[in-house]
């Protein structure tokens, strides 16, 4: 990465630099303006205002260079302002910026749909529809599932996150901050326990079987299989705390769904596009969902989302039944094509596995050294540590998690938190991050543990 910067390919020097307190004076000034102008409901993980970014570095308005372990929540997997993305967007902007695909269509949209149909799990006939955000993709997956099956009920899991629009919010599990006082929520949403090995009451070994039994029994007794349109699941839960279900759980859900004519929607908005070391997290278990929602990493930072699924489901809705003014915007489509090309030619799935191989041993050492680290988990470049109170109680320690994150921020490392109890530190570095930056980021994390525990 340093060589790429020297060659002018990456526009930002790939070295950390802390030259003021963080946030620095110019960030603090912007923050004062922001508190006057921007709605208080929109919060930021760290009040550091960005001027440029590239590769694994964010440069703030005070000239500090921060190591990026967040990728804008798993979005800039190809790096910020990735060369092929910038080039594709620039070229597209010079041709046209918008026509509306529902008015006068263009090739980029079709090309992205073709790529999605090819790359997503399963070799069956597929089709795609493009939208602006993850939440909007989730809303449309639900519309498609209901239309196709003629059934209404949708099942989601504990700890799930699916977005902030009405239906997506109803599917999301956590009240604060996502749902609190925003009800009433749309109906026909049901919730099943998630197979969460670390917190499974009778122990991780029983988790897959018991969670599956609770799930099927809930559907049978509270809904009825033939009233259930779809089950929506994140193959690794994101905002819920990078919860990796035990092997076999997703496969059994998938088989059970197809037996009952229920559609399986895999929400791969956070896990998709090489993040977990494969194109999609479903691939690790060979699960083939009926519908898959994607967003985030798909377009290198431009807003784009998609629903991809079985052709018979995707083509069931009447013409005009789906759409939106901006869905599949030409700039976003060009960015997606540049992103996918980068992922393919630079083997970013391999890069995610490499990041895992570099990070996991060091995170495991922290787990062995500090009993507040309850678990290290995740896959590829989607890794997390769940923090608990001292003494092996498994009691979530959100306050410690926030302290460690703040300490990292002050030292110039962007880390994010997650989890139903706010007690998970999560790491989502850009897949193009260099080994030096990765190692230095973990050094900072180690120092933050030493200072905060
Ligand atoms: N499904 C699995 O991870 C977005 C949320 C950030 P949008 N996760 C980041 C926040 O606090 O708003 C997400 C996700 C999964 C759906 C979504 C929603 O995607 O693009 O944010 O709408």
């Amino acid at each position: 990465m340093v060589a790429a910067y020297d060659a002018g390919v990456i526009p930002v020097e790939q070295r950390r630099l802390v030259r003021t307190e963080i946030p620095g004076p110019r960030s603090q000034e912007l923050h004062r303006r922001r508190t006057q102008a921007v709605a208080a409901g929109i919060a930021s993980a760290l009040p550091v205002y960005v001027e440029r970014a590239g590769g694994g570095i964010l440069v703030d308005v005070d000239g500090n260079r921060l190591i990026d372990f967040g990728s804008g929540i798993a979005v800039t997997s190809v790096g910020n302002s990735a060369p092929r993305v910038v080039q594709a967007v620039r070229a597209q902007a010079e041709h046209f910026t918008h026509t509306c695909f529902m008015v006068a269509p263009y090739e980029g949209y079709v090309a992205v749909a073709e790529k999605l149909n090819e790359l997503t799990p399963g070799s069956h006939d597929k089709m795609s529809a493009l939208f602006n955000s993850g939440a909007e993709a989730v809303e449309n997956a639900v519309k498609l599932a209901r239309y196709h099956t003629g059934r209404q009920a949708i099942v989601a899991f504990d700890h799930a996150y699916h977005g902030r629009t009405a239906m997506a919010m109803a599917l999301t599990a956590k009240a604060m901050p996502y749902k609190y006082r925003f009800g009433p929520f749309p109906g026909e949403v049901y919730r099943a326990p998630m197979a969460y090995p670390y917190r499974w009451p009778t122990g991780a070994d029983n988790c897959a079987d018991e969670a599956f039994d609770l799930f099927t029994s809930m559907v049978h007794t509270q809904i009825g299989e033939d009233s259930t349109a779809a089950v929506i699941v994140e193959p690794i839960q994101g905002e819920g705390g990078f919860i990796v279900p035990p092997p076999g759980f997703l496969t059994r859900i998938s088989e059970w769904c197809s037996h009952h004519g229920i559609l399986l929607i895999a929400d791969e908005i956070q896990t998709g596009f090489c993040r977990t070391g494969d194109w999609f997290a479903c691939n690790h278990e060979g699960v083939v969902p009926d519908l898959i929602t994607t967003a985030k990493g798909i377009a290198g930072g431009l807003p784009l989302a998609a629903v991809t699924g079985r052709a018979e489901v995707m083509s069931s809705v009447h013409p005009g039944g789906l759409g939106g003014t901006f869905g599949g915007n030409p700039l976003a489509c060009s960015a997606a094509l540049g992103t996918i090309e980068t992922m393919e030619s630079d083997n970013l799935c391999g890069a995610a596995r490499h990041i895992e191989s570099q990070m996991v041993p060091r995170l495991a050492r922290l787990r062995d050294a500090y009993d507040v680290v309850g678990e290290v988990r995740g896959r590829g470049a989607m890794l997390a540590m769940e923090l608990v109170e001292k003494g092996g109680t498994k009691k979530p320690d959100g306050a410690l998690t926030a302290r460690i994150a703040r300490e990292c921020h002050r030292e110039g490392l962007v880390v994010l938190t997650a989890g139903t109890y706010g007690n998970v530190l999560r790491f989502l570095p850009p897949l193009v991050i260099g080994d030096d930056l990765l190692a230095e980021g973990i050094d900072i994390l180690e120092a933050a543990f030493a200072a905060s525990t």
Side-chain angles (χ1 to χ4, degrees):
M1 288 299 292
V2 172
Y5 165 71
D6 292 339
V9 176
I10 303 281
V12 171
E13 186 168 358
Q14 297 296 298
R15 286 191 188 89
R16 180 179 71 118
L17 175 68
V18 177
R19 55 195 294 272
T20 70
E21 60 179 329
I22 291 181
R26 293 190 61 204
S27 272
Q28 288 180 35
E29 176 51 31
L30 278 170
H31 202 64
R32 275 189 289 277
R33 273 172 59 196
R34 173 243 183 89
T35 23
Q36 294 303 306
V38 178
I42 313 263
S44 300
L46 67 168
V48 165
Y49 289 72
V50 175
E51 197 167 78
R52 312 182 56 103
I57 289 281
L58 302 177
V59 187
D60 75 9
V61 290
D62 293 287
N64 298 299
R65 292 197 298 264
L66 288 79
I67 301 176
D68 185 9
F69 274 13
S71 300
I73 323 187
V75 170
T76 51
S77 300
V78 287
N80 227 305
S81 299
R84 286 193 192 82
V85 173
V86 171
Q87 197 186 10
V89 171
R90 187 177 285 146
Q92 179 59 47
E94 283 168 2
H95 282 93
F96 60 90
T97 49
H98 174 82
T99 60
C100 185
F101 196 74
M102 300 183 306
V103 176
Y106 39 88
E107 184 180 351
Y109 189 117
V110 179
V112 170
E114 287 169 346
K115 266 293 174 195
L116 282 164
N117 301 342
E118 172 199 323
L119 291 169
T120 48
S123 55
H124 52 285
D125 283 346
K126 284 174 251 168
M127 290 180 168
S128 293
L130 305 185
F131 304 98
N132 301 292
S133 66
E136 208 189 336
V138 167
E139 299 277 340
N140 281 281
V142 169
K143 283 163 73 170
L144 279 151
R146 284 179 167 166
Y147 195 107
H148 180 76
T149 60
R151 305 171 180 179
Q152 294 184 353
I154 310 289
V155 180
F157 288 90
D158 283 340
H159 311 288
Y161 184 90
H162 298 292
R164 293 178 182 266
T165 54
M167 185 65 192
M169 183 170 50
L171 294 168
T172 293
K174 188 174 171 177
M176 191 53 131
Y178 307 123
K179 302 170 79 167
Y180 177 69
R181 290 178 70 160
F182 296 144
F185 304 108
E188 288 307 308
V189 170
Y190 297 83
R191 198 165 302 285
M194 179 60 181
Y196 186 171
Y198 177 67
R199 294 198 174 274
W200 196 255
T202 60
D205 289 347
N206 303 322
C207 180
D209 287 349
E210 291 181 8
F212 179 72
D213 288 348
L214 287 168
F215 162 81
T216 52
S217 135
M218 187 282 282
V219 176
H220 186 71
T221 58
Q222 296 183 33
I223 315 169
E225 292 82 353
D226 63 1
S227 297
T228 305
V231 172
I232 183 166
V233 65
E234 300 155 81
I236 295 177
Q237 288 183 318
E239 303 305 305
F242 289 16
I243 299 165
V244 187
F249 180 70
L250 294 174
T251 306
R252 289 174 74 181
I253 299 270
S254 167
E255 284 164 359
W256 179 90
C257 280
S258 57
H259 180 71
H260 291 288
I262 297 168
L263 300 183
L264 180 66
I265 306 172
D267 181 343
E268 292 243 21
I269 287 165
Q270 192 154 162
T271 48
F273 288 96
C274 301
R275 177 52 58 186
T276 66
D278 204 326
W279 278 96
F280 296 95
C282 280
N283 294 350
H284 297 295
E285 253 194 59
V287 167
V288 178
D290 300 291
L291 296 173
I292 175 164
T293 54
T294 52
K296 290 192 185 280
I298 188 175
L302 273 83
L304 187 70
V307 181
T308 301
R310 294 189 183 280
E312 65 271 24
V313 181
M314 296 301 293
S315 55
S316 59
V317 172
H318 53 278
L322 305 173
T325 305
F326 288 119
N329 167 271
L331 300 179
C333 287
S334 299
L337 295 171
T339 297
I340 293 167
E341 191 192 321
T342 306
M343 289 175 168
E344 284 176 331
S345 64
D346 299 356
N347 184 18
L348 293 193
C349 288
R353 294 193 297 271
H354 174 73
I355 290 169
E356 177 177 1
S357 75
Q358 300 292 295
M359 287 190 79
V360 166
R362 294 194 60 189
L363 299 180
R365 275 214 290 283
L366 278 171
R367 181 196 56 211
D368 296 343
Y370 294 93
D371 73 343
V372 294
V373 182
E375 190 176 50
V376 170
R377 60 176 177 251
R379 204 158 211 163
M382 183 173 184
L383 299 171
M385 305 171 96
E386 173 155 2
L387 304 189
V388 293
E389 290 180 2
K390 283 196 170 88
T393 62
K394 290 200 179 180
K395 215 168 152 222
D397 198 339
L400 172 66
T401 311
R403 272 205 313 282
I404 292 178
R406 260 199 315 277
E407 186 61 30
C408 290
H409 298 165
R410 270 199 290 270
E411 293 302 317
L413 172 69
V414 179
V415 293
L416 306 175
T417 60
T420 297
Y421 318 106
N423 66 324
V424 176
L425 283 170
R426 58 169 155 171
F427 312 111
L428 292 161
L431 306 180
V432 298
I433 196 168
D435 283 355
D436 290 356
L437 280 187
L438 202 58
E440 193 179 355
I442 306 168
D443 292 344
I444 294 169
L445 180 71
E446 284 173 358
F449 266 91
S452 311
T453 55

Short mmCIF file of all heavy atoms in Angstrom, two decimals, residues 153-179:
data_model
loop_
_atom_site.label_atom_id
_atom_site.label_comp_id
_atom_site.label_asym_id
_atom_site.label_seq_id
_atom_site.Cartn_x
_atom_site.Cartn_y
_atom_site.Cartn_z
N ALA A 153 -46.78 -13.44 6.73
CA ALA A 153 -45.89 -13.38 7.90
C ALA A 153 -44.41 -13.41 7.50
O ALA A 153 -44.03 -14.13 6.58
CB ALA A 153 -46.18 -14.55 8.85
N ILE A 154 -43.63 -12.62 8.20
CA ILE A 154 -42.19 -12.59 8.00
C ILE A 154 -41.53 -12.90 9.35
O ILE A 154 -41.88 -12.29 10.37
CB ILE A 154 -41.69 -11.20 7.53
CG1 ILE A 154 -42.51 -10.68 6.34
CG2 ILE A 154 -40.19 -11.23 7.20
CD1 ILE A 154 -42.30 -11.39 5.02
N VAL A 155 -40.58 -13.82 9.35
CA VAL A 155 -39.89 -14.19 10.59
C VAL A 155 -38.49 -13.60 10.59
O VAL A 155 -37.75 -13.74 9.60
CB VAL A 155 -39.80 -15.73 10.74
CG1 VAL A 155 -39.06 -16.10 12.03
CG2 VAL A 155 -41.19 -16.34 10.70
N ALA A 156 -38.14 -12.92 11.68
CA ALA A 156 -36.78 -12.40 11.86
C ALA A 156 -36.26 -12.93 13.20
O ALA A 156 -37.00 -13.56 13.96
CB ALA A 156 -36.80 -10.88 11.85
N PHE A 157 -35.00 -12.66 13.47
CA PHE A 157 -34.35 -13.25 14.65
C PHE A 157 -34.01 -12.22 15.71
O PHE A 157 -33.88 -11.02 15.42
CB PHE A 157 -33.08 -13.99 14.22
CG PHE A 157 -33.37 -15.26 13.48
CD1 PHE A 157 -33.52 -15.25 12.10
CD2 PHE A 157 -33.55 -16.45 14.16
CE1 PHE A 157 -33.83 -16.41 11.40
CE2 PHE A 157 -33.86 -17.62 13.47
CZ PHE A 157 -34.00 -17.60 12.08
N ASP A 158 -33.83 -12.69 16.92
CA ASP A 158 -33.27 -11.85 17.98
C ASP A 158 -31.92 -11.31 17.49
O ASP A 158 -31.20 -12.01 16.77
CB ASP A 158 -33.00 -12.69 19.24
CG ASP A 158 -34.26 -12.98 20.03
OD1 ASP A 158 -35.26 -12.26 19.85
OD2 ASP A 158 -34.24 -13.94 20.83
N HIS A 159 -31.58 -10.12 17.92
CA HIS A 159 -30.31 -9.46 17.59
C HIS A 159 -30.20 -9.03 16.12
O HIS A 159 -29.16 -8.56 15.68
CB HIS A 159 -29.08 -10.33 17.95
CG HIS A 159 -29.14 -10.89 19.32
ND1 HIS A 159 -28.94 -10.10 20.44
CD2 HIS A 159 -29.40 -12.14 19.78
CE1 HIS A 159 -29.08 -10.86 21.52
NE2 HIS A 159 -29.36 -12.09 21.15
N ALA A 160 -31.29 -9.20 15.37
CA ALA A 160 -31.23 -8.86 13.94
C ALA A 160 -31.19 -7.35 13.73
O ALA A 160 -31.72 -6.59 14.53
CB ALA A 160 -32.47 -9.42 13.23
N TYR A 161 -30.53 -6.95 12.65
CA TYR A 161 -30.61 -5.55 12.20
C TYR A 161 -30.92 -5.57 10.71
O TYR A 161 -30.18 -6.19 9.93
CB TYR A 161 -29.30 -4.79 12.44
CG TYR A 161 -29.45 -3.34 12.03
CD1 TYR A 161 -29.87 -2.38 12.94
CD2 TYR A 161 -29.22 -2.92 10.71
CE1 TYR A 161 -30.07 -1.06 12.57
CE2 TYR A 161 -29.42 -1.60 10.33
CZ TYR A 161 -29.83 -0.68 11.26
OH TYR A 161 -30.03 0.62 10.88
N HIS A 162 -31.98 -4.88 10.32
CA HIS A 162 -32.32 -4.84 8.90
C HIS A 162 -32.57 -3.44 8.37
O HIS A 162 -32.91 -3.30 7.20
CB HIS A 162 -33.53 -5.75 8.62
CG HIS A 162 -33.27 -7.20 8.94
ND1 HIS A 162 -32.38 -7.97 8.21
CD2 HIS A 162 -33.73 -8.00 9.93
CE1 HIS A 162 -32.34 -9.20 8.73
NE2 HIS A 162 -33.14 -9.24 9.77
N GLY A 163 -32.43 -2.41 9.20
CA GLY A 163 -32.57 -1.05 8.68
C GLY A 163 -33.52 -0.19 9.51
O GLY A 163 -34.06 -0.64 10.52
N ARG A 164 -33.73 1.04 9.02
CA ARG A 164 -34.45 2.05 9.81
C ARG A 164 -35.77 2.49 9.21
O ARG A 164 -36.44 3.35 9.78
CB ARG A 164 -33.54 3.27 10.01
CG ARG A 164 -32.31 3.01 10.87
CD ARG A 164 -31.46 4.25 10.95
NE ARG A 164 -30.23 4.11 11.71
CZ ARG A 164 -30.09 4.41 13.01
NH1 ARG A 164 -31.11 4.84 13.71
NH2 ARG A 164 -28.93 4.27 13.62
N THR A 165 -36.15 2.01 8.02
CA THR A 165 -37.47 2.33 7.48
C THR A 165 -38.51 1.45 8.18
O THR A 165 -38.14 0.54 8.93
CB THR A 165 -37.49 2.11 5.97
OG1 THR A 165 -37.05 0.77 5.71
CG2 THR A 165 -36.58 3.09 5.24
N ALA A 166 -39.80 1.71 7.93
CA ALA A 166 -40.83 1.11 8.79
C ALA A 166 -40.73 -0.42 8.87
O ALA A 166 -40.64 -0.99 9.96
CB ALA A 166 -42.20 1.55 8.31
N MET A 167 -40.74 -1.09 7.73
CA MET A 167 -40.73 -2.55 7.79
C MET A 167 -39.37 -3.06 8.29
O MET A 167 -39.31 -3.99 9.10
CB MET A 167 -41.02 -3.12 6.39
CG MET A 167 -41.15 -4.62 6.38
SD MET A 167 -42.60 -5.12 7.35
CE MET A 167 -42.31 -6.86 7.49
N ALA A 168 -38.30 -2.42 7.80
CA ALA A 168 -36.95 -2.85 8.22
C ALA A 168 -36.78 -2.64 9.72
O ALA A 168 -36.16 -3.46 10.41
CB ALA A 168 -35.90 -2.07 7.44
N MET A 169 -37.36 -1.57 10.23
CA MET A 169 -37.27 -1.29 11.67
C MET A 169 -38.06 -2.34 12.46
O MET A 169 -37.63 -2.79 13.52
CB MET A 169 -37.81 0.12 11.91
CG MET A 169 -37.74 0.60 13.33
SD MET A 169 -38.13 2.37 13.50
CE MET A 169 -39.66 2.55 12.59
N ALA A 170 -39.21 -2.73 11.91
CA ALA A 170 -39.99 -3.77 12.59
C ALA A 170 -39.21 -5.08 12.64
O ALA A 170 -39.27 -5.82 13.62
CB ALA A 170 -41.31 -3.97 11.87
N LEU A 171 -38.44 -5.36 11.60
CA LEU A 171 -37.67 -6.60 11.55
C LEU A 171 -36.44 -6.54 12.45
O LEU A 171 -35.92 -7.57 12.88
CB LEU A 171 -37.22 -6.88 10.10
CG LEU A 171 -38.34 -7.19 9.11
CD1 LEU A 171 -37.82 -7.17 7.68
CD2 LEU A 171 -38.97 -8.55 9.43
N THR A 172 -35.96 -5.32 12.71
CA THR A 172 -34.80 -5.12 13.59
C THR A 172 -35.21 -5.43 15.02
O THR A 172 -36.32 -5.11 15.44
CB THR A 172 -34.32 -3.66 13.43
OG1 THR A 172 -33.80 -3.51 12.11
CG2 THR A 172 -33.26 -3.30 14.45
N ALA A 173 -34.28 -6.04 15.77
CA ALA A 173 -34.65 -6.50 17.11
C ALA A 173 -34.52 -5.42 18.19
O ALA A 173 -35.34 -5.34 19.09
CB ALA A 173 -33.78 -7.70 17.49
N LYS A 174 -33.49 -4.59 18.08
CA LYS A 174 -33.08 -3.78 19.23
C LYS A 174 -33.91 -2.49 19.32
O LYS A 174 -33.97 -1.72 18.36
CB LYS A 174 -31.60 -3.46 19.06
CG LYS A 174 -30.94 -2.79 20.24
CD LYS A 174 -29.43 -2.67 19.96
CE LYS A 174 -28.73 -1.82 21.00
NZ LYS A 174 -27.28 -1.77 20.77
N ALA A 175 -34.47 -2.24 20.49
CA ALA A 175 -35.32 -1.06 20.66
C ALA A 175 -34.50 0.22 20.67
O ALA A 175 -34.73 1.13 19.88
CB ALA A 175 -36.12 -1.20 21.95
N MET A 176 -33.53 0.31 21.59
CA MET A 176 -32.75 1.53 21.72
C MET A 176 -31.43 1.36 20.98
O MET A 176 -30.72 0.42 21.26
CB MET A 176 -32.51 1.81 23.22
CG MET A 176 -31.96 3.17 23.50
SD MET A 176 -32.97 4.44 22.75
CE MET A 176 -33.20 5.55 24.08
N PRO A 177 -31.10 2.17 20.01
CA PRO A 177 -31.76 3.41 19.61
C PRO A 177 -32.71 3.27 18.41
O PRO A 177 -33.29 4.27 17.99
CB PRO A 177 -30.56 4.26 19.17
CG PRO A 177 -29.64 3.26 18.51
CD PRO A 177 -29.81 1.99 19.31
N TYR A 178 -32.86 2.08 17.86
CA TYR A 178 -33.47 1.97 16.52
C TYR A 178 -34.99 2.10 16.49
O TYR A 178 -35.55 2.55 15.50
CB TYR A 178 -33.06 0.65 15.86
CG TYR A 178 -31.57 0.42 15.84
CD1 TYR A 178 -31.02 -0.73 16.41
CD2 TYR A 178 -30.71 1.35 15.26
CE1 TYR A 178 -29.65 -0.94 16.39
CE2 TYR A 178 -29.34 1.15 15.25
CZ TYR A 178 -28.82 0.00 15.82
OH TYR A 178 -27.47 -0.22 15.81
N LYS A 179 -35.68 1.61 17.56
CA LYS A 179 -37.14 1.53 17.49
C LYS A 179 -37.84 2.36 18.56
O LYS A 179 -39.04 2.64 18.43
CB LYS A 179 -37.57 0.06 17.67
CG LYS A 179 -36.97 -0.86 16.62
CD LYS A 179 -37.20 -2.32 16.94
CE LYS A 179 -38.60 -2.77 16.59
NZ LYS A 179 -38.68 -4.26 16.62
#
